[in-house]
Amino acid sequence: MKAVVITHPGGPEVLHIEERPIPAYGPDEVLIKVHASGINRPDVFQRKGNYPPPAGVPADIPGLEVAGIVAEIGAAVTRLKVGDKICALVSGGGYAEYCNVPEGQCLPVPGNLNFTEAASLPETFFTVWSNVFDRGQLKGDETLLVHGGSSGIGVAAIQMGNTLGHKVFVTAGSDDKCRFCEDLGAAKAINYKTENFADAIKELTGGRGVDVILDMIGGDYTPGNLQSLAEDGRLVLINTMSGKDVQVDLSIVMRRRLTITGSTLRARDTSFKSAIAQNLEKNIWPLVESGKIKPVIYEIFPAEKAAKAHKLMESSEHTGKIILSWK
Ligand SMILES: NC(=O)c1ccc[n+]([C@@H]2O[C@H](COP(=O)([O-])OP(=O)(O)OC[C@H]3O[C@@H](n4cnc5c(N)ncnc54)[C@H](OP(=O)(O)O)[C@@H]3O)[C@@H](O)[C@H]2O)c1
């Protein structure tokens, strides 16, 4: 099979197509003939050598999500059959023509979507469900602030939050990105380059603050995040792109009874990921099927142009998802 390989740690130019053996699959796994592979920011960190994959995952083939057709099934697979159209969360190896994945991490391709659209869903939807709704416990009429509103994660969080009845505020780095986020359903997008987000949130919530913050920035956003939380609010970290060291006044955590938490999805086991898949299929897939939640694809590249796709992601010009196609 063909695979996009990280030939050595470095810039986008280190990505090359190479021939590799089709991966073996275990009794609980299926082998997918991949039609499209989603690109996520963690793939960029892996390419640079800063995000080693967990044991048992190909170290030099990136890719955390795919969509395609079940080509073969393991002996203990019960639900899926050869020929099924699926999308899946994988721990690596997704930038390839074939990929093995535990059955529990697969979801059906929603009937109204094609493979490139379906490949854009798993990594961000699993991450947002797990961090905003499970860990962050966003519920009732609570409010959400999402940093990086125009990112792949952001477009999933805006749509899932909004469709499930929550007011979603976001930050983004330009007026155009802010407009894009508001068109997608954000109640208000704050251009963090021209406005202090903590001041804006204070004003937008009448001084109350938001209930949950999904943050991929960390660093100097942290004091503003703590100020922006309502009493009993939850700050959920999924990355620290602006730095992991920070000085904050922790007394606010006690005064407002705040929770600071976070997680990384990739290293979690199959049963954890399968439970998220079941929640997504029950709570979110019907909303995708009905068109209330839509994939947001910025650009599709042929797999041979993976370097160009990574270059685009690192430019941060995109809004939504970047996809590789294997056709
Ligand atoms: N913990 C987990 O399990 C998990 C899983 C998946 C993804 N993630 C994390 O979630 C984040 C979003 O992933 P994604 O694939 O959705 O990314 P993406 O589409 O590439 O979007 C990232 C966006 O973040 C904004 N940004 C703000 N500060 C930044 C900085 N210092 N460096 C780079 N970008 C910055 C940029 O938009 P502006 O123009 O608005 O600045 C950029 O477009 C990444 O940090 C990723 O590692 C975590």
Side-chain angles (χ1 to χ4, degrees), residues 17-215:
I17 295 265
E18 290 187 0
E19 285 290 329
R20 288 295 164 97
I22 291 175
Y25 54 93
D28 298 321
E29 293 187 328
V30 302
L31 181 70
I32 304 174
K33 170 78 177 78
V34 176
H35 285 239
S37 316
I39 295 186
N40 294 278
R41 189 66 70 143
D43 308 342
V44 171
F45 302 134
Q46 181 175 342
R47 194 204 68 223
K48 289 177 172 172
N50 301 331
Y51 191 50
V57 173
D60 58 352
I61 307 176
L64 300 171
E65 59 188 354
V66 295
I69 293 176
V70 175
E72 292 179 31
I73 60 171
V77 165
T78 55
R79 197 170 42 97
L80 294 175
K81 55 185 192 316
V82 171
D84 283 350
K85 291 179 174 181
I86 54 164
C87 56
L89 179 78
V90 297
S91 301
Y95 290 11
E97 286 183 309
Y98 287 88
C99 188
N100 59 311
V101 58
E103 181 184 27
Q105 292 173 211
C106 300
L107 284 158
V109 171
N112 50 338
L113 302 193
N114 59 33
F115 286 122
T116 44
E117 290 168 328
S120 77
L121 304 178
E123 172 68 9
T124 52
F125 278 55
F126 276 68
T127 301
V128 169
W129 184 271
S130 175
N131 287 286
V132 172
F133 298 99
D134 283 343
R135 191 156 286 275
Q137 285 290 302
L138 185 71
K139 56 188 178 308
D141 61 355
E142 288 187 334
T143 49
L144 172 67
L145 167 63
V146 181
H147 292 302
S150 64
S151 66
I153 290 282
V155 301
I158 291 169
Q159 295 195 84
M160 284 162 74
N162 190 32
T163 316
L164 294 178
H166 304 280
K167 197 177 253 190
V168 183
F169 303 110
V170 303
T171 61
S174 71
D175 288 342
D176 282 348
K177 284 186 171 185
C178 285
R179 239 188 326 273
F180 162 84
C181 293
E182 289 175 359
D183 288 347
L184 207 56
K188 174 74 185 165
I190 303 154
N191 181 345
Y192 68 84
K193 293 198 172 143
T194 56
E195 239 185 309
N196 177 297
F197 79 82
D199 292 344
I201 288 295
K202 192 172 178 187
E203 197 180 319
L204 287 163
T205 61
R208 178 186 179 274
V210 295
D211 298 288
V212 176
I213 300 178
L214 181 66
D215 184 28

Side-chain angles (χ1 to χ4, degrees), residues 170-291:
V170 303
T171 61
S174 71
D175 288 342
D176 282 348
K177 284 186 171 185
C178 285
R179 239 188 326 273
F180 162 84
C181 293
E182 289 175 359
D183 288 347
L184 207 56
K188 174 74 185 165
I190 303 154
N191 181 345
Y192 68 84
K193 293 198 172 143
T194 56
E195 239 185 309
N196 177 297
F197 79 82
D199 292 344
I201 288 295
K202 192 172 178 187
E203 197 180 319
L204 287 163
T205 61
R208 178 186 179 274
V210 295
D211 298 288
V212 176
I213 300 178
L214 181 66
D215 184 28
M216 59 183 75
I217 311 296
D220 59 6
Y221 269 39
T222 313
N225 279 337
L226 298 182
Q227 282 164 32
S228 300
L229 282 171
E231 290 189 358
D232 295 302
R234 289 84 73 192
L235 169 61
V236 189
L237 289 156
I238 56 166
N239 202 352
T240 54
M241 289 200 292
S242 273
K244 61 184 171 50
D245 299 318
V246 61
Q247 189 165 1
V248 288
D249 174 1
L250 284 173
S251 66
I252 192 172
V253 175
M254 296 179 286
R255 278 186 280 113
R256 304 187 81 134
R257 302 180 302 280
L258 306 181
T259 300
I260 303 174
T261 183
S263 73
T264 59
L265 179 64
R266 191 181 194 181
R268 302 305 297 270
D269 63 20
T270 299
S271 65
F272 181 84
K273 292 172 181 170
S274 302
I276 302 172
Q278 284 170 18
N279 273 320
L280 287 174
E281 192 163 357
K282 182 172 161 220
N283 297 297
I284 300 298
W285 251 228
L287 299 169
V288 178
E289 294 264 6
S290 68

